Amino acid sequence: KAWGPPPKPADVMTIDYNFLETLPQYDGFLFGFPTRFGTMCAQMKTFLDSTGGLWQSGGLKGKLVATLVSTGTQNGGQETTHFTALTNFVHHGMIYVPLGYQAGAEGQFDLTEPHGGSPYGGSTLAGGDGSRQPSEMELKIIRKQGQIFAAEVKRLGK
């Protein structure tokens, strides 16, 4: 059996190349992607690589951006995935909104169970076959990041 993520629910939006022309309409992006060897998956990298026209026109300059990641294992490169994604956003002139340590009350500092969530952003441990779902603690951390990001988009958005 091949390893891979579980099937995507039908109500989850698919981002494709036709979607590129609509990106400048948005005030911010909270991207979530799986980790492959400490960096984003090739599919996401390919998508971001296709934004060269937007880079040239400055179409994403000043847009807010944040990241969520998943890894197969506890030390599978969560922080490096957030960090290596920054190079794409910096070249566009986008503004990265980190989680920081603002989710302490949601479990970010909790050591009673393995969980994701670093100063760079929310994360989860998906398991090698992608079958593990985010824990309640991880979901609380991710929701907190979403609240922080939405507040910044509202505050700085056009």
Side-chain angles (χ1 to χ4, degrees):
K1 179 180 172 188
W3 284 9
K8 181 175 68 78
D11 62 342
V12 173
M13 179 177 142
T14 299
I15 297 177
D16 59 19
Y17 297 107
N18 295 325
F19 187 69
L20 286 175
E21 63 190 44
T22 69
L23 293 180
Q25 299 172 25
Y26 296 90
D27 294 326
F29 306 94
L30 198 145
F31 288 115
F33 38 82
T35 297
R36 296 294 183 266
F37 306 108
T39 190
M40 71 180 75
C41 65
Q43 295 89 337
M44 189 65 195
K45 180 70 170 109
T46 299
F47 174 76
L48 290 173
D49 284 348
S50 69
T51 62
L54 292 170
W55 165 79
Q56 188 174 26
S57 71
L60 300 179
K61 183 178 122 188
K63 304 291 184 182
L64 299 180
V65 65
T67 52
L68 303 167
V69 302
S70 66
T71 56
T73 62
Q74 188 170 355
N75 294 307
Q78 291 182 358
E79 286 192 344
T80 61
T81 302
H82 289 290
F83 189 70
T84 56
L86 286 175
T87 60
N88 297 276
F89 308 138
V90 167
H91 279 84
H92 276 288
M94 299 173 84
I95 302 166
Y96 191 73
V97 180
L99 173 60
Y101 283 114
Q102 300 177 75
E106 288 74 17
Q108 195 173 13
F109 302 127
D110 192 310
L111 298 177
T112 62
E113 66 180 75
H115 64 84
S118 77
Y120 292 101
S123 53
T124 188
L125 308 169
D129 64 357
S131 63
R132 182 184 177 273
Q133 295 299 301
S135 69
E136 187 55 39
M137 185 184 304
E138 290 168 332
L139 290 173
K140 287 179 183 178
I141 293 168
I142 290 167
R143 284 186 197 109
K144 180 66 173 182
Q145 181 180 5
Q147 292 168 355
I148 292 164
F149 184 73
E152 286 301 301
V153 170
K154 185 176 181 180
R155 185 174 75 85
L156 298 174
K158 295 177 184 170

